[in-house]
Amino acid sequence: MASKILIVSVIALIVIVGAGIYFSGFLFPQQTATVRVGHLTGDLHHLALFVARNQGYFEQSGIKIELKEYANGPLLMQDFLAGELDFAYVGAPPAISARAKGMSDPNAHLPVVIASVNLEGSAIVVDGSIESPEDLSGKIIGTPGTGTIQDILLSMYIRDHNLTLTKSPMSISYLPIEFSKGTINGFIGWEPAPSIAVVQSGAHVLLTSKDLFENHQCCVLVVSNKFLASHQDLVSKFAAAHKLANNYIINNPAYAKQLAMNITGHSSQLIDLALSHIVYTSTPDPVSMKTFLHAMIDLNVVTTLTHEQVDDFINAFIDTRFI
Amino acid sequence: MKHADRAKSLLLGLFSLIVFLFLWQLLAVWMNSPFLPGPYSVLTAFFRISTAGDIDGYTLSSHAMTSIYRVLLGFLFAGMTAIPLGIFMGLKPSVNSVSSPIIEPIRFIPPIAWIPLAIILLGGITRYVFLIWIGAFFPILLNTIAGVKRTSAVLVDMAKTFGADSRTITFKIVFPSALPEVMSGLRVGLGVGWMCIVAAEMIGGDPVGLGRLIIKYANLYQMDVVILGMVTIGIIGLILNYAILSTERRLFKWRVEVRA
């Protein structure tokens, strides 16, 4: 009897100790998967990515991120289509046009939206010669590149208000420089570029993207359709970390501001202005994405779809299972 | 070259071009990718952009003429600066010794590396001119120096014997003697300058230019127009090269290298 109790006790002890070791991760540490994540140069819209990294949300989910930086959304999406990225923080229009173009290519890695990154977040800043939107006619206005969300927003505004101006596409980092030199009369860009021109070069905000298109979807978190098909668990973890980070920004604005200052090196005043134009949310807005796509078809930015296909396209483009 | 030989060469060239286009179309059909359009799609894009213009309304001819203007302006400045400097450096070894430590490292800096500096310091057309100048300058300079050094010492000595001053020797003996090399330098320089145009127009700022057309449509994933821009750059480059080569052939018929 005593020996039986002893054997049972030993087995129970082994099970308890074994379980303890297993669940503490000492014997079998959690597997870490590396994912490639694209984002844009100095884009405050993508603050959630840096919050998730700094707060260790990715690490806690067993994800190691390899960051790749791009000058604008269309450039990022070119790499994305080629399979060089698994996830990307990018403007909705470049992701839409990349998917629309790549749909007929079975080898292309098509973007699927799994979360929103932010709404709005851009602004048109101008010099003293422009006081009202009507004054934009005949002026040179910079954009961060053809096909970017800002370029589409400006084209939509020009079309709707029957304006004639010269668009001057260039890298986002050059926009405030060209403005300060007087080469352009103003520009539309993602934050903090417009705020840089306001604080450093005396520009004034003519229109925010809220004025241009209220509550419009700006950046989205996309995953490659091929990656999604084979790594649904990782996609789920990544989306959860992203949502956690976006919530952290909303609930801890002081932390968000300090982080924004750290990663951009800009002043408190400049970051305050920039952040006031951005709405952080993880819930995608299909309605504004449909409006964008209709406009992109009208503007010949998307040539592979018709207006009748817009609803089906956007429904297949967004996957809200993970948010 | 006899007429029959010329016709044969032309036919062979035409045949190879047709084979190339056929293989390209075959590859496009086989790959069936929206990112590799065939020659027919590019031809369609040619008519579309030539007549209706691009997304901002600029036609192919306005893109091409703008690029040609920028390249020729940059090339002109390169010639105006590199040829006199090359003659001076070729004639005066001490000048060569003084300037070589500065010029030699600079010539290895690719034009694209100058872009950030050009953006900060220059504006408008001057930045295009600068980048094309930096690309075309060194081939012209080095060829001019080589041409000057190749001048026959016998001719120079003879001129001195007849009492010619240094100005006469430079303009009547050295420069004409160096001209074939100068022309070769100009031809290479124009080629490099033309290749720099895409890099220069990548700077952005202006919505027009062949480099800008390529980037604009790469951002829209419309590769037929991207290839159209590339082909246009190639064809114009070829025409410019041929124009200089023909001038060279007419001017220096007496040179074995030119006749060949």
Side-chain angles (χ1 to χ4, degrees):
Chain A
M1 184 67 188
S3 64
K4 275 184 184 173
I5 290 170
L6 188 68
I7 290 167
V8 170
S9 302
V10 168
I11 290 170
L13 190 69
I14 290 169
V15 169
I16 290 164
V17 171
I21 291 171
Y22 179 82
F23 288 111
S24 70
F26 180 75
L27 200 59
F28 304 102
Q30 194 174 19
Q31 291 284 311
T32 302
T34 302
V35 296
R36 300 162 301 170
V37 185
H39 69 105
L40 304 185
T41 308
D43 192 341
L44 280 184
H45 300 175
H46 305 171
L47 201 56
L49 172 64
F50 298 98
V51 170
R53 187 186 65 178
N54 286 16
Q55 294 293 100
Y57 295 157
F58 292 129
E59 219 170 34
Q60 288 157 22
S61 309
I63 298 170
K64 188 181 171 196
I65 56 164
E66 188 185 307
L67 292 182
K68 294 189 176 190
E69 192 177 302
Y70 297 85
N72 65 33
L75 280 174
L76 181 151
M77 288 314 301
Q78 286 166 24
D79 240 14
F80 191 97
L81 286 169
E84 292 297 310
L85 296 169
D86 304 313
F87 293 89
Y89 286 74
V90 67
I96 288 171
S97 50
R99 186 181 170 95
K101 190 68 184 177
M103 267 173 20
S104 56
D105 186 350
N107 297 318
H109 291 247
L110 301 179
V112 177
V113 174
I114 53 167
S116 162
V117 174
N118 73 296
L119 306 178
E120 302 172 359
S122 302
I124 300 179
V125 288
V126 291
D127 61 24
S129 69
I130 302 166
E131 286 175 358
S132 68
E134 291 73 36
D135 295 340
L136 285 170
S137 271
K139 297 291 195 294
I140 303 170
I141 303 298
T143 79
T146 306
T148 57
I149 189 163
Q150 291 76 19
D151 179 64
I152 305 292
L153 278 169
L154 185 61
S155 296
M156 287 165 72
Y157 192 78
I158 292 169
R159 182 196 60 182
D160 296 345
H161 294 80
N162 207 18
L163 297 169
T164 47
L165 55 83
T166 305
K167 282 197 288 179
S168 182
M170 65 186 80
S171 172
I172 186 81
S173 47
Y174 296 143
L175 285 168
I177 297 171
E178 292 300 319
F179 179 80
S180 70
K181 286 164 64 183
T183 319
I184 51 177
N185 300 107
F187 68 87
I188 181 165
W190 62 73
E191 289 293 0
S195 299
I196 293 172
V198 170
V199 173
Q200 295 179 355
S201 308
H204 68 94
V205 178
L206 182 72
L207 295 161
T208 64
S209 55
K210 185 185 179 126
D211 306 320
L212 294 167
F213 182 178
E214 195 170 0
N215 282 328
H216 73 81
Q217 182 66 60
C218 184
C219 287
V220 284
L221 173 59
V222 293
V223 64
S224 151
N225 62 338
K226 290 187 168 54
F227 189 85
L228 176 60
S230 56
H231 298 88
Q232 227 177 83
D233 55 330
L234 272 177
V235 174
S236 177
K237 285 176 184 173
F238 196 103
H242 166 73
K243 189 178 177 180
L244 214 55
N246 248 350
N247 289 343
Y248 195 85
I249 293 171
I250 296 162
N251 298 325
N252 301 277
Y255 171 86
K257 182 185 165 185
Q258 189 57 52
L259 181 64
M261 285 166 67
N262 293 347
I263 58 177
T264 61
H266 292 305
S267 67
S268 167
Q269 179 203 2
L270 197 153
I271 296 297
D272 274 337
L273 180 64
L275 291 178
S276 71
H277 295 150
I278 309 171
V279 178
Y280 292 101
T281 176
S282 301
T283 311
D285 176 38
V287 178
S288 65
M289 283 196 252
K290 283 176 188 171
T291 308
F292 268 129
L293 183 48
H294 280 297
M296 288 159 78
I297 293 169
D298 289 340
L299 294 164
N300 284 328
V301 170
V302 170
T303 53
T304 50
L305 292 172
T306 61
H307 289 293
E308 290 71 38
Q309 293 171 300
V310 166
D311 284 355
D312 289 343
F313 178 90
I314 295 294
N315 292 340
F317 180 48
I318 304 169
D319 186 343
T320 50
R321 280 179 296 165
F322 307 101
I323 288 295
Chain B
M1 198 187 271
K2 289 177 186 171
H3 284 294
D5 289 342
R6 194 170 286 175
K8 191 181 165 186
S9 164
L10 203 72
L11 275 174
L12 275 172
L14 197 68
F15 176 72
S16 68
L17 190 67
I18 291 167
V19 169
F20 172 75
L21 291 174
F22 176 74
L23 289 175
W24 175 9
Q25 182 67 42
L26 210 66
L27 186 71
V29 170
W30 178 67
M31 283 188 68
N32 191 26
S33 165
F35 304 110
L36 182 66
Y40 180 72
S41 305
V42 176
L43 191 69
T44 313
F46 167 74
F47 288 118
R48 193 176 74 240
I49 302 293
S50 298
T51 52
D54 70 2
I55 198 164
D56 295 318
Y58 297 101
T59 59
L60 185 64
S61 62
S62 60
H63 283 291
M65 292 313 289
T66 306
S67 292
I68 291 172
Y69 173 67
R70 287 169 182 161
V71 168
L72 290 183
L73 207 58
F75 175 69
L76 185 73
F77 278 104
M80 281 165 59
T81 48
I83 295 171
L85 186 65
I87 292 171
F88 199 48
M89 284 171 72
L91 285 173
K92 309 274 182 194
S94 57
V95 176
N96 202 359
S97 305
V98 169
S99 51
S100 283
I102 302 161
I103 287 174
E104 282 297 309
I106 291 176
R107 86 182 169 94
F108 288 103
I109 302 171
I112 201 163
W114 290 91
I115 288 177
L117 202 64
I119 286 174
I120 304 283
L121 298 176
L122 305 168
I125 195 162
T126 51
R127 58 170 59 145
Y128 299 105
V129 171
F130 170 74
L131 287 167
I132 289 152
W133 172 81
I134 207 105
F137 177 80
F138 293 105
I140 303 172
L141 178 79
L142 296 178
N143 275 277
T144 307
I145 295 170
V148 170
K149 285 184 174 169
R150 201 186 60 86
T151 308
S152 167
V154 176
L155 289 176
V156 175
D157 289 343
M158 192 168 68
K160 280 180 183 169
T161 311
F162 282 102
D165 57 14
S166 58
R167 185 186 163 87
T168 310
I169 290 170
T170 303
F171 289 102
K172 299 279 183 185
I173 295 171
V174 175
F175 186 60
S177 164
L179 257 180
E181 273 80 9
V182 173
M183 281 301 284
S184 299
L186 288 173
R187 188 157 58 83
V188 177
L190 184 61
V192 177
W194 188 243
M195 283 189 264
C196 288
I197 193 68
V198 176
E201 288 171 348
M202 266 172 67
I203 299 170
D206 291 301
V208 65
L210 289 168
R212 174 51 52 185
L213 178 75
I214 289 173
I215 289 153
K216 207 185 276 189
Y217 278 85
N219 282 355
L220 300 176
Y221 318 101
Q222 295 180 24
M223 297 303 156
D224 48 352
V225 185
V226 171
I227 295 175
L228 172 66
M230 290 162 63
V231 170
T232 310
I233 286 177
I235 291 171
I236 294 172
L238 192 75
I239 293 168
L240 290 175
N241 185 61
Y242 186 77
I244 292 201
L245 206 62
S246 307
T247 315
E248 205 178 333
R249 280 186 178 147
R250 277 175 198 279
L251 285 174
F252 312 115
K253 275 183 185 168
W254 46 272
R255 287 192 85 196
V256 180
E257 303 93 295
V258 170
R259 278 208 305 271

